[in-house]
Amino acid sequence: MKKSLSMSARKNREAYCFILPAFIYMLLVLGYPLIYNVILSFKDVNVKNLAKGGSVFIGLQNYIELFHNDTFMLVLKNTFIFTITCLVFQFTIGFALALFFYQKFTLSGPVRGLLLVSYMIPMSVTGLLGKNIFSNAGLINNLLGKIGITGPEWLVNTSTALIAVIIMNCWVGIPFNMLLLISGLSSISPDVYESASIDGANWGQRFLHITLPLMKGSMLSVLMLGFIYTFRAFDLMYIMTAGGPLNSTDVLGTYSYMLSFTQYEFSKGSAVAMILFVCLFIVGLFYLRLLSKEDD
C-alpha cells in the first residue's frame, strides 16, 4: 500500500514538473502585465511624470472620469453595437450556410473551402482590403454608380463608417461560424433524423425538435467565442478608420491604444483596458456557468 502511494506521489511530482514551465510562462507573459496594468489604472501616469519617474495613486479617479466622459460613453456604445450587430449577422448567415453545406452535393467541399479564404486572410490584409473597397472610388461605390446610385463617402461619414467596418468583420466571421456549426451538425447521428422521418416529421419539425436542441452546446460556444473575439477587436478598425471620423468607429481596444500611445495618458488607457477585461471576464464566467448547467 505504501509503495503504491509513493508511486502515485512520484507520478504527481512528475506531472507538476511538466506543468511548471507552462505555469511560469503564463505568470510572466500574462500575469505580470495584467497585474501591472491593474496597478497603473489606479495611478496618474502620463508622459510628464513618467519621465520624472514619479506617479501618484489616485484610486478610482480614472474610472470616474471615464464614465463622465462623453467620448468614452460613445466608445462603449460603439463597442456593444459593433459586437452585437456582428454576432447577429455572423451567426445567422453562418448557421444558414452550415445547414446548406452540410447537405451532400457536388462541389460542396470546394465551395466551402473558398468561403474559408476570408477567414484565413490576416486581419491586417482584410483591413486594407476593406479600406480600398469602401473608399470613394472603391468597389462598392463603383457598383452603386452602375445602377445610378451615388454612394456615400463610407469611411469619412460618421453614419456609415461603422457600417463598413461591421460588413468587413462579418465577412471574416461568417466562415468561422459556419465551420464550427458544421462540426456541431456532424456530431448529430443520422439515425435520429431517420427515425423522425419514419415517424412522419417534416423538415421544419426535425429542425426545431432535433437540430436546435442537439446543437445547443455548439451554438453557445460559437456565440461566446464570437462575442469575445469581436468585443476585443482592434486591428480591423484601426487600419480601416483609425477610430474616426469623430470617434464613430472607436471601440474599447482602439480607444485604449489612442489614450496610451497617442495622448500618452497611460493610466486612463490602462483603465479602459481593464474595463474591456472585466466585460470579457463576466462573459467568460457566464459561459462557464451555462456549461456547468449543461453538464448537470
Side-chain angles (χ1 to χ4, degrees), residues 118-131:
S118 61
Y119 173 64
M120 293 185 288
I121 294 175
M123 192 60 80
S124 56
V125 177
T126 302
L128 291 172
L129 183 64
K131 195 171 183 178

Side-chain angles (χ1 to χ4, degrees), residues 124-142:
S124 56
V125 177
T126 302
L128 291 172
L129 183 64
K131 195 171 183 178
N132 290 323
I133 288 174
F134 286 98
S135 64
N136 292 342
L139 176 65
I140 300 297
N141 283 351
N142 188 23

Side-chain angles (χ1 to χ4, degrees), residues 186-247:
S186 302
S187 65
I188 302 174
S189 173
D191 296 337
V192 181
Y193 290 110
E194 187 177 346
S195 300
S197 298
I198 293 171
D199 291 336
N202 56 33
W203 183 89
Q205 290 171 329
R206 292 197 300 269
F207 177 74
L208 289 174
H209 300 292
I210 296 175
T211 305
L212 287 181
L214 294 179
M215 284 283 293
K216 187 177 179 182
S218 299
M219 290 191 293
L220 182 62
S221 299
V222 170
L223 287 171
M224 289 299 106
L225 287 173
F227 185 93
I228 291 167
Y229 291 151
T230 308
F231 197 82
R232 64 180 181 84
F234 168 80
D235 37 10
L236 182 63
M237 51 276 297
Y238 185 77
I239 293 169
M240 284 185 67
T241 62
L246 300 176
N247 302 105

